Amino acid sequence: MRSRLDAVVRRVSKAAPSLKCKKIGPHTLRHSTAMAMLAAGVDLSTIAMWLGHESVQTTQRYMVADMEMKEKNLEKALGKNPFGEAPQQTLFKPDEGLLAFLESL
């Protein structure tokens, strides 16, 4: 598998030269596929089975990575205002009533 993957990366690198500097192996494909499944809304238990993980807790790392990517992309989307200052960011903070309701579920 590794030699076939290396051949594909070499061929594709001609059209996308940035791939030449990247380390792409079977794990990269496995991780990318799992992240794409997560982004498409596939539940973690299905992804865990597809990856062959013994438990969903192992697959939970993909969820953490996905949240980090979302935060970074949100920061990029907010950008800077015309005056060069970073926009004021506020995170949602639920009030006690909402927290109590959610804990009662």
Side-chain angles (χ1 to χ4, degrees):
M1 166 132 183
R2 183 61 197 219
S3 60
R4 287 181 132 190
L5 181 58
D6 289 343
V8 169
V9 170
R10 276 193 304 275
R11 187 178 46 193
V12 173
S13 293
K14 293 174 185 172
S18 64
L19 288 178
K20 289 179 185 177
C21 345
K22 301 199 187 277
K23 187 175 180 180
I24 300 174
H27 180 76
T28 307
L29 292 179
R30 180 179 159 88
H31 180 78
S32 298
T33 302
M35 292 300 291
M37 291 171 75
L38 183 63
V42 176
D43 64 284
L44 282 178
S45 59
T46 302
I47 296 171
M49 285 188 297
W50 185 85
L51 291 171
H53 290 167
E54 288 185 26
S55 75
V56 176
Q57 283 74 24
T58 306
T59 316
Q60 190 69 24
R61 290 181 286 170
Y62 291 98
M63 182 64 82
V64 172
D66 187 49
M67 289 304 294
E68 288 173 3
M69 287 186 335
K70 287 178 181 177
E71 287 175 3
K72 286 179 184 176
N73 287 329
L74 179 60
E75 288 173 9
K76 285 182 188 177
L78 291 174
K80 291 190 174 190
N81 68 28
F83 303 106
E85 299 169 9
Q88 184 68 26
Q89 295 182 22
T90 56
L91 296 176
F92 174 74
K93 294 188 175 143
D95 61 32
E96 291 301 317
L98 177 58
L99 290 174
F101 168 74
L102 291 173
E103 287 180 15
S104 72
L105 296 177

